Amino acid sequence: MHTITELIQKEEARQRETLMLIPSENYTYPEVRAAVGSVLMHKYSEGYPGKRYYQGNEFIDQIENKAIETAKELFKVPHANVQPLSGSPANAAVYMGLLKPGDTIMGMNLSSGGHLTHGHPNITFSGKFFRSVQYGIEIDGSIDFVKLREQILTEKPQILVIGTSAYPKLVDFGKFAKAAEGTDTILMADISHFVGLVIAGLHPDPVPHVHVVTTTTHKMLRGPRGAMILVTEKGIAKDPDMGKKIDKAVFPGLQGGPHNNVTAGIALALEKAGTDSFTQYAKQLVLNAKTLAQELMERGFTLTGGGTENHLMLLDVRNKGLTGKEAAVALESAGIVVNANAIPFDPSPPGNPSGVRIGPPAITARGMGENEMKIIATYIHDAIENRTNEEVLVRIKDEVRALCKLFPIT
Ligand code: DSN
């Protein structure tokens, strides 16, 4: 039996020697890892800066204020809460703060690329304690905004959730706002998956159009596992207490002491996100995603929506004669780590879907560019075509390891 230390070392080697192509994963900065592993985790700080239930928070207050101010400046919003422990608790806090049990949440359904916390019925808090109404995409991956407006007018949701976790197109927040025009619906954008593109100006910005924005901090932002809730000018104009209500829902509503070590990591990641070097990273990421998508299509893969406009793509692998899970397992044997994922209108169940989701945020952070995307497309193709040939899979795994060595993790 390995010790925990040995297992951490093994996991580090796995991350170093494989291609991390799950689009929601990334490598944090060394400064972020140092902050998360620091003495800050020893401290209890229930409350908010200047209003804590424990003494000894002189420096913690400054750290949290720095994270809040950096977030407000970066996203140009009047209110930020940096305490949610992750994306699902952040979304839960918005619902708890702004809705009553039984109110209606309207979000994109899972197979169209939405998220469980956007009102997925029956099995999630968002679909159990609230009335859930779901919207979807059309066969070409687009959203029919005329249909959406009709649905909003019929269902009268208290909140419309605009966000995706497996959607390869840009989200037009202005069109969503127009679809809800004249109603009392709160508009919430969950930009967890593409937050870095928003910051870099490569994706439409939700802030002018919605009342509240949630995002995780560990995906494209390369921060620690955590999340933020931002209230926009439009949100404050709708309800001057919106920020206070959300703060109260986070603490004491849902959480106890904030993870101060994580707050420091978030502050550091946000500082980095405001630099030119982050903009360069985001540009390269989009270029890499488009190159990988194009190269995969040239090798006979079907991409839902016909490619990608952001940082991720969904491969429908049915034409290759296997399921998404079988494809993901074959790729892992070749050192390429992806996740099986439902595709739009998937006839198969979520546990054994027809697609895989792929994205290059992590390998772009390692410094890989378009040339490497072409090589990786060949690896993906060869691994799937030769999925029962152990010799080929081992050969690709060796080549993946050699490629990874050229792009060390910092
Ligand atoms: N679980 C994360 C993802 O992989 O998309 C966020 O939902």
Side-chain angles (χ1 to χ4, degrees), residues 24 115 165 193 219 357:
S24 50
H115 191 256
S165 68
H193 276 264
K219 297 185 176 80
R357 188 179 63 155

Side-chain angles (χ1 to χ4, degrees), residues 38-154:
S38 74
V39 296
L40 297 175
M41 77 176 81
H42 301 158
K43 189 72 196 105
Y44 253 124
S45 315
E46 265 127 319
Y48 289 98
K51 279 174 274 163
R52 304 286 188 187
Y53 288 82
Y54 292 76
Q55 294 311 115
N57 277 300
E58 178 187 355
F59 304 112
I60 299 296
D61 277 5
Q62 292 177 53
I63 288 167
E64 188 167 338
N65 274 332
K66 182 118 182 107
I68 290 169
E69 291 310 314
T70 314
K72 283 161 64 177
E73 204 175 308
L74 198 57
F75 293 95
K76 298 183 181 55
V77 293
H79 185 89
N81 186 308
V82 296
Q83 291 193 7
L85 300 178
S86 205
S88 296
N91 290 349
V94 174
Y95 305 151
M96 183 171 179
L98 305 182
L99 308 181
K100 297 187 301 301
D103 277 356
T104 302
I105 295 177
M106 185 165 157
M108 186 188 267
N109 66 48
L110 208 54
S111 75
S112 290
H115 191 256
L116 286 165
T117 58
H118 297 176
H120 188 65
N122 304 325
I123 55 166
T124 72
F125 73 92
S126 62
K128 250 185 140 146
F129 303 128
F130 299 95
R131 176 177 166 258
S132 156
V133 175
Q134 302 260 274
Y135 60 88
I137 57 173
E138 302 304 303
I139 198 79
D140 63 354
S142 67
I143 292 162
D144 181 339
F145 285 96
V146 174
K147 213 158 92 182
L148 185 81
R149 177 158 177 83
E150 280 166 15
Q151 207 178 355
I152 293 170
L153 294 178
T154 310

Side-chain angles (χ1 to χ4, degrees), residues 2-10:
H2 293 293
T3 64
I4 293 293
T5 305
E6 285 165 350
L7 289 170
I8 292 172
Q9 285 162 353
K10 281 184 177 295

